[in-house]
Amino acid sequence: MKGVGNDVDPFELTCKQYAGLDAGTRRLLTSYLEGYAAEGSSTVYAEGAVRNFEEGILAACAEAPDSPLDELLENVQYDVPEGGEEPSCSAFLKASAPEEAAKLLLWTQGYLESEFAENTEADFDQAIHQDTFREDAATVLEQCGADRKGKLIDVMRTLMTGD
């Protein structure tokens, strides 16, 4: 991800910062944010939902460019298209490009971090740490290679909780 440093908390970005990111980095962060928003409602990843969420964020940001994303995300309106599927190891392994695999992992990480934040009273680190993310991606790749039928959410949950 370009322009965000090693550690980025997407919720701390202002609208102006978010809109100023290159399109690839913004889409990666939006994958995380859409996964975070989806927790509790759906475990289905749909690339179209991520694109629509990004458009919704940018539209909301146009109204309040100096606002932190955290203040407006709850009210972003976007369409979740029909289809999609629960992220699986086979989908992760078949991803057409590293960026596509990263979007699946970030969506899953966002989903799980929302779940963990909801289930704990302590402050929860919601930042994306790129060095840790690379290590986690390598571990997920190894584990999914051993069990192609596994669910990505289960692999990531085990990795993130250490269970």
Side-chain angles (χ1 to χ4, degrees):
M1 290 188 283
K2 299 174 188 168
V4 294
N6 184 59
D7 304 315
V8 60
D9 184 338
F11 299 99
E12 297 292 323
L13 293 174
T14 65
C15 283
K16 204 177 291 183
Q17 290 170 317
Y18 176 80
L21 294 170
D22 71 89
T25 298
R26 190 171 52 242
R27 184 66 48 86
L28 288 169
L29 291 177
T30 306
S31 293
Y32 172 90
L33 291 167
E34 207 279 327
Y36 196 93
E39 191 277 320
S41 62
S42 174
T43 58
V44 173
Y45 171 84
E47 175 63 29
V50 174
R51 279 192 306 275
N52 293 347
F53 195 46
E54 180 178 358
E55 290 172 8
I57 293 170
L58 290 170
C61 281
E63 303 287 321
D66 294 321
S67 294
L69 288 183
D70 192 35
E71 289 181 8
L72 60 87
L73 285 174
E74 193 172 297
N75 299 316
V76 170
Q77 300 294 313
Y78 69 106
D79 292 323
V80 178
E82 295 291 322
E85 59 185 41
E86 185 169 341
S88 65
C89 281
S90 61
F92 174 69
L93 294 170
K94 287 191 278 186
S96 60
E99 296 81 19
E100 297 306 312
K103 283 189 246 179
L104 279 173
L105 285 179
L106 284 167
W107 185 93
T108 305
Q109 179 181 349
Y111 180 92
L112 289 169
E113 288 192 4
S114 179
E115 179 182 284
F116 299 154
E118 188 175 292
N119 294 333
T120 182
E121 293 180 21
D123 284 339
F124 193 78
D125 179 13
Q126 297 171 327
I128 299 167
H129 305 283
Q130 291 191 65
D131 54 352
T132 306
F133 182 79
R134 282 189 281 283
E135 293 170 12
D136 290 350
T139 301
V140 170
L141 183 61
E142 181 181 314
Q143 290 179 8
C144 281
D147 181 12
R148 298 180 71 83
K149 294 181 182 178
K151 293 181 179 182
L152 192 57
I153 203 160
D154 293 338
V155 173
M156 287 287 291
R157 181 179 281 115
T158 300
L159 181 65
M160 292 171 71
T161 61
D163 295 338

